[in-house]
Amino acid sequence: MKNAGKSFVLIMLIIIMALGGLLWFDFLGVIHVKNLFTPLYKAMGREAPESVASTSSHPIQGDLEQERLDKQREALELFKEELDKREEEIAAKEKLNEQIAAELSEREKSQEEREKTFNRNVKQYDDKNVNIEQIAQNLNGMRPEAAVNILLAFDDQVCIDVLRKVEEIARRDGSASMGSYWLSLMPAQRAAEIQRKMISKPESL
């Protein structure tokens, strides 16, 4: 009888230890036997304990979600930095293009102004040349004395230009020039001064 009692106690201890081991492994998430003991916990008026695996699954998922969000934010930051860098490069290129355009515009204006000045000078020369030729033609048709009086009224440069134009017309028409004769009718000092200037500055003063 005694041996039977000891055997019964040992069997109960083995059963209790087995059940405790099952509950512990379930708590650790190694095996899932919680549903088998739910009626027992309810009979005792207690809630079945959650396993470590079940309670820790949500934090792990939360960490993975947070890590994914952090990586997305990091990628967005890098993309934003790249966009900012490209925007700065584009702004710098636009500024350089504006400077080049301004320089080209300034050069174009300067060129236009030079062309206008050149055209004015050409026109003035043409107008003067036409007037000098007209005066030379008129003097050739006058009496020598009257022509000399008109020449004496001009300043030296105009007088020189008219005399040269008279020579040019004579060569063009194959006729004799009146220039030398007109100089001979002028006062000696004025004629000498005009001739000196014509020699020292053959084209113009």
Side-chain angles (χ1 to χ4, degrees), residues 139 146-155 159 162-163 182 186 190:
L139 293 179
V148 169
N149 288 333
I150 293 174
L151 287 172
L152 291 174
F154 294 145
D155 60 35
C159 184
V162 171
L163 290 174
W182 290 342
M186 290 182 182
R190 180 73 185 277

Side-chain angles (χ1 to χ4, degrees), residues 97-107:
N97 290 336
E98 289 176 357
Q99 291 177 350
I100 293 174
E103 291 177 1
L104 291 176
S105 178
E106 188 64 27
R107 290 180 183 179

Side-chain angles (χ1 to χ4, degrees), residues 28-43:
L28 294 176
V30 177
I31 60 174
H32 298 283
V33 294
K34 180 178 63 178
N35 294 333
L36 298 176
F37 296 97
T38 301
L40 178 61
Y41 281 108
K42 287 184 178 180

Side-chain angles (χ1 to χ4, degrees), residues 155-165 194 197-198:
D155 60 35
D156 289 350
Q157 183 59 52
V158 175
C159 184
I160 290 170
D161 291 340
V162 171
L163 290 174
R164 285 177 174 158
K165 181 60 66 175
I194 291 174
K197 289 181 178 179
M198 290 179 71

Side-chain angles (χ1 to χ4, degrees), residues 1 5 27 32 47 66 76 80 85 103-104 108 128 133 164 170 183:
M1 192 75 178
F27 179 74
H32 298 283
E47 292 288 335
Q66 185 63 39
L76 287 174
K80 183 178 180 298
K85 183 179 179 181
E103 291 177 1
L104 291 176
E108 185 177 355
K128 179 182 178 182
E133 183 163 359
R164 285 177 174 158
L183 285 171

Side-chain angles (χ1 to χ4, degrees), residues 7-205:
S7 298
F8 178 76
V9 171
L10 288 172
I11 292 171
M12 291 299 296
L13 285 173
I14 291 170
I15 293 172
I16 291 171
M17 289 179 67
L19 292 175
L22 290 174
L23 290 174
W24 179 250
F25 284 129
D26 181 81
F27 179 74
L28 294 176
V30 177
I31 60 174
H32 298 283
V33 294
K34 180 178 63 178
N35 294 333
L36 298 176
F37 296 97
T38 301
L40 178 61
Y41 281 108
K42 287 184 178 180
M44 295 172 62
R46 299 179 64 182
E47 292 288 335
E50 294 287 338
S51 64
V52 175
S54 63
T55 56
S56 62
S57 61
H58 293 297
I60 292 175
Q61 292 177 356
D63 291 341
L64 292 175
E65 183 68 21
Q66 185 63 39
E67 185 178 355
R68 185 168 64 253
L69 290 175
D70 291 341
K71 288 183 177 179
Q72 289 178 350
R73 290 193 188 97
E74 184 179 355
L76 287 174
E77 286 295 329
L78 292 174
F79 183 67
K80 183 178 180 298
E81 290 177 3
E82 184 66 20
L83 286 179
D84 292 340
K85 183 179 179 181
R86 291 185 180 180
E87 185 175 354
E88 290 176 359
E89 291 176 353
I90 292 173
K93 289 181 180 179
E94 288 180 350
K95 185 176 180 180
L96 179 61
N97 290 336
E98 289 176 357
Q99 291 177 350
I100 293 174
E103 291 177 1
L104 291 176
S105 178
E106 188 64 27
R107 290 180 183 179
E108 185 177 355
K109 290 180 181 179
S110 179
Q111 181 65 25
E112 290 177 354
E113 187 62 30
R114 285 195 295 269
E115 290 178 358
K116 288 179 181 178
T117 302
F118 176 77
N119 292 333
R120 282 198 301 269
N121 291 337
V122 170
K123 188 175 184 304
Q124 289 174 358
Y125 175 80
D126 290 341
D127 292 343
K128 179 182 178 182
N129 194 48
V130 169
N131 291 335
I132 291 297
E133 183 163 359
Q134 185 63 49
I135 292 172
Q137 294 282 9
N138 292 337
L139 293 179
N140 278 331
M142 294 182 182
R143 291 182 300 103
E145 294 78 5
V148 169
N149 288 333
I150 293 174
L151 287 172
L152 291 174
F154 294 145
D155 60 35
D156 289 350
Q157 183 59 52
V158 175
C159 184
I160 290 170
D161 291 340
V162 171
L163 290 174
R164 285 177 174 158
K165 181 60 66 175
V166 168
E167 294 288 342
E168 179 184 333
I169 294 172
R171 287 194 301 270
R172 186 178 65 200
D173 296 342
S175 60
S177 172
M178 295 294 294
S180 298
Y181 183 62
W182 290 342
L183 285 171
S184 66
L185 296 178
M186 290 182 182
Q189 185 175 356
R190 180 73 185 277
E193 182 66 17
I194 291 174
Q195 288 178 322
R196 183 187 67 80
K197 289 181 178 179
M198 290 179 71
I199 294 172
S200 62
K201 296 181 180 179
E203 294 299 325
S204 70
L205 290 176

